[in-house]
Amino acid sequence: MVDFELDDLEQMALIEGALELTAALDPGFPVDWVRLQLERLAKEAEVALMDEINPQLRLDGLIRLFYREWGFCGDQEQYFSSQNLYLDQVLDRKKGIPVSLGAIFLYLARHLELPVSSVGFPTQYIIKISWYDREPQYLNPFDGEYLSERTMAAWLKGHRGPFTELRCEHLDEAENGDILARWLTVMKSALLREERYADALRCSDLALAFRPGDPHEIRDRGYIYQQLDCNHAAAMDYEYFIEQCPEDPAAKLLKLQVKALHEEPLVLH
């Protein structure tokens, strides 16, 4: 299904890894067009900020250019739409979610030689700016606003509970493989919400190429098979999950589901 390895993705820019994954999911994805658009934006940014030698002012200029002049913004109305993950549509609509907007912004910032990196914060993707002479800054790629530790701590408490504390490891630089795995998870969820089950199945199979045997991913694939009326395949995936995660609360319900699936007539596809 894929002609690259996880190690290959780690060596690529995040945006290139995202392009490779999307092309693996959708052979018709216009990779070359996306690359041309990215190169055009990079050249525009370079020309607009060529006289700005101060790195902080160059970063502020890129934020202004990207979010105000070019009009990129987070999609508040259709946050969970797959449109926000296909980079051709993100570039065309100028709307996305943190990870897709962030991948584009990261590409442009690195083109301008700014010290930026990815952070897989528990609630969303954020960008870290690591200055050599002062504390790092954190940028929310959804709206281009700087994030305080107080804000990120509040996000974390809302996500994991009121006693959760913000720790240094929450703000560590993330590897591309981890970010792209989350990208795939969000993509799969969006495709399931849109009832695009065949596309979601390709997404799940690709995720399993990087996490072979992951019981939760196999459980999700079982659900997709069930929606596609592949009951025997669904039952096999559910049984694998039950065997691997017998204490999981979902296991008991899935045992009943497996029994019902085995009672269904076999459908040949």
Side-chain angles (χ1 to χ4, degrees):
M1 181 179 180
V2 295
D3 55 4
F4 52 84
E5 301 291 338
L6 182 57
D7 288 344
D8 297 330
L9 296 180
E10 293 291 359
Q11 303 305 315
M12 300 177 187
L14 178 62
I15 198 85
E16 280 296 327
L19 291 177
E20 291 285 353
L21 287 184
T22 310
L25 291 171
D26 179 4
F29 178 69
V31 174
D32 292 339
W33 182 86
V34 171
R35 288 196 177 112
L36 285 173
Q37 297 307 306
L38 292 170
E39 290 172 6
R40 177 182 61 80
L41 292 175
K43 288 177 182 177
E44 286 187 27
E46 186 177 357
V47 170
L49 301 170
M50 64 186 303
D51 295 328
E52 189 49 78
I53 60 173
N54 181 289
Q56 179 69 70
L57 295 179
R58 198 183 315 144
L59 173 63
D60 292 340
L62 178 60
I63 292 171
R64 181 179 63 253
L65 193 65
F66 191 77
Y67 292 97
R68 297 179 188 173
E69 295 187 26
W70 293 343
F72 283 91
C73 63
D75 192 342
Q76 300 275 6
E77 297 179 357
Q78 301 181 79
Y79 187 95
F80 296 104
S81 170
S82 63
Q83 293 181 102
N84 292 322
L85 290 150
Y86 284 94
L87 288 171
D88 57 329
Q89 298 183 54
V90 174
L91 288 165
D92 184 52
R93 299 169 63 241
K94 296 188 176 179
K95 288 185 178 181
I97 57 175
V99 71
S100 55
L101 292 172
I104 297 171
F105 188 91
L106 192 80
Y107 165 83
L108 297 172
R110 286 184 170 169
H111 183 80
L112 296 173
E113 300 182 341
L114 291 166
V116 293
S117 59
S118 299
V119 174
F121 196 71
T123 61
Q124 66 160 71
Y125 175 87
I126 63 177
I127 290 174
K128 182 177 185 177
I129 306 100
S130 301
W131 304 114
Y132 74 91
D133 57 349
R134 53 197 160 101
E135 292 297 308
Q137 291 175 295
Y138 300 93
L139 185 74
N140 181 0
F142 193 67
D143 57 15
E145 297 291 331
Y146 289 111
L147 291 165
S148 67
E149 290 194 6
R150 182 177 180 179
T151 295
M152 291 185 285
W155 284 359
L156 200 58
K157 290 180 187 295
H159 180 64
R160 292 187 173 175
F163 301 108
T164 308
E165 297 294 330
L166 180 67
R167 299 193 300 272
C168 293
E169 54 263 36
H170 292 134
L171 301 174
D172 285 345
E173 181 177 347
E175 295 183 347
N176 279 352
D178 294 332
I179 299 298
L180 292 170
R182 288 175 62 167
W183 193 311
L184 276 174
T185 298
V186 177
M187 175 73 84
K188 181 183 65 182
S189 297
L191 294 170
L192 286 173
R193 189 173 284 104
E194 294 163 11
E195 299 183 356
R196 295 168 56 183
Y197 298 118
D199 293 334
L201 180 59
R202 286 194 293 272
C203 198
S204 187
D205 284 340
L206 183 54
L208 283 167
F210 300 121
R211 298 194 299 269
D214 182 294
H216 291 88
E217 189 62 53
I218 289 176
R219 177 201 61 191
D220 291 353
R221 187 180 65 180
Y223 172 78
I224 298 170
Y225 276 137
Q226 189 175 356
Q227 305 313 304
L228 293 169
D229 294 325
C230 300
N231 293 335
H232 181 66
M236 289 180 62
D237 278 355
Y238 288 157
E239 287 170 339
Y240 177 86
F241 176 81
I242 293 165
E243 179 183 340
Q244 297 296 315
C245 304
E247 303 302 320
D248 191 290
K252 185 175 181 179
L253 293 174
L254 287 177
K255 287 179 182 178
L256 298 174
Q257 191 68 57
V258 167
K259 182 179 179 182
L261 288 170
H262 281 311
E263 291 173 355
E264 293 285 334
L266 181 63
V267 177
L268 300 177
H269 290 270

